[in-house]
């Protein structure tokens, strides 16, 4: 974590987050590296590390890559990872084009109906853009990280639609909705 913090454009966190709301502890074997400051997605960094440095990450999302560092790793493994991240920073320093990244997550949507009420309500399938202001009957989860951004009974907002479109355009899988391509969303019938 100290080595990552020395590299411009990269961030990480550690035990200093413990005690904050929702944070009970830190798994020291998992190291999250934020890459948004480089103007890259986590997926772009994952591919860079895999194909240029033969380093496999545990997972990537729009803003981060996650590494697992455990008892099976050596000091040389850590040195190789830090050297690869330093090379990434150097390679990206001269790059003029940056990936335009949206805010981390849309605000949590307003719960209008219980999930059960929404699931059993009469529903219709509408184009995603037309779902704004409607009540979802489906769960929409982008993977990774695998946390729902929309659940049955929640109001579909412009920010959620924008986030879904960004995730789709960056190649992230959308799970949950009947329409796997998420061009349409099932909402409570008006």
């Amino acid at each position: 974590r100290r080595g990552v913090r020395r590299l411009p454009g990269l961030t990480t966190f550690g035990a200093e987050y413990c005690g904050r709301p929702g944070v009970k502890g830190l798994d020291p074997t998992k190291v999250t590296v934020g890459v948004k400051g480089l103007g890259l997605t986590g997926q772009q960094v994952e591919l860079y590390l895999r194909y240029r440095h033969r380093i496999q990450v545990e997972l990537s999302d729009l803003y981060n890559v996650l590494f697992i560092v455990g008892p099976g790793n050596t000091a040389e493994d850590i040195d190789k990872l830090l050297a690869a991240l330093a090379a990434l920073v150097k390679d990206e320093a001269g790059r003029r084009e940056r990936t335009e990244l949206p805010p981390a997550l849309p605000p949590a949507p307003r719960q209008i109906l219980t999930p059960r009420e929404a699931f059993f309500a009469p529903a219709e399938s509408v184009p995603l853009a037309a779902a704004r202001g409607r009540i979802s009957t489906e769960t929409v989860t982008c993977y990774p990280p695998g946390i729902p951004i929309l659940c049955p009974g929640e109001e579909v907002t412009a920010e959620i639609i924008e986030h879904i479109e960004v995730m789709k355009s960056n190649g992230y899988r959308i799970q949950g909705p009947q329409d796997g391509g998420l061009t349409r969303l099932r909402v409570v019938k008006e």
Side-chain angles (χ1 to χ4, degrees):
R1 287 181 175 88
R2 280 191 304 272
V4 169
R5 287 183 180 124
R6 291 186 198 117
L7 297 171
L10 300 180
T11 60
T12 190
F13 59 89
E16 70 275 7
Y17 276 67
C18 294
R20 291 184 180 188
V23 182
K24 297 293 180 194
L26 174 73
D27 182 344
T29 66
K30 294 183 179 177
V31 179
T32 302
V33 177
V35 299
K36 188 175 181 181
L38 295 178
L40 297 172
T41 67
Q43 189 175 40
Q44 289 169 320
V45 172
E46 177 180 359
L47 295 174
Y48 172 91
L49 292 172
R50 179 182 305 145
Y51 294 114
R52 294 226 182 140
H53 296 278
R54 299 180 51 84
I55 294 173
Q56 182 64 40
V57 305
E58 177 66 16
L59 69 82
S60 62
D61 67 15
L62 199 55
Y63 310 100
N64 307 285
V65 288
L66 175 69
F67 302 96
I68 299 210
V69 181
N73 291 109
T74 64
E76 292 80 22
D77 294 335
I78 304 304
D79 291 342
K80 180 180 178 182
L81 173 59
L82 289 173
L85 290 172
L88 170 72
V89 169
K90 183 180 177 190
D91 289 351
E92 292 305 311
R95 192 168 71 99
R96 300 220 188 281
E97 249 180 74
R98 298 277 183 233
T99 301
E100 190 62 37
L101 299 174
L105 289 172
R110 198 166 52 111
Q111 185 79 41
I112 308 292
L113 300 173
T114 68
R116 179 181 174 82
E117 290 169 331
F119 184 82
F120 288 111
E124 62 183 336
S125 178
V126 299
L128 182 59
R132 181 178 180 203
R134 304 286 297 273
I135 301 168
S136 177
T137 65
E138 300 183 292
T139 299
V140 176
T141 302
C142 297
Y143 186 83
I147 300 168
I149 59 170
L150 190 61
C151 292
E154 293 180 335
E155 180 181 13
V156 182
T157 64
E159 294 88 358
I160 287 173
I161 293 170
E162 178 186 6
H163 185 75
I164 290 169
E165 293 295 353
V166 166
M167 297 302 279
K168 284 174 30 180
S169 69
N170 279 283
Y172 289 90
R173 292 183 317 204
I174 308 290
Q175 296 178 336
Q178 201 172 61
D179 172 9
L182 200 53
T183 58
R184 302 182 71 79
L185 183 69
R186 290 187 56 77
V187 295
V188 173
K189 198 170 201 172
E190 291 183 328

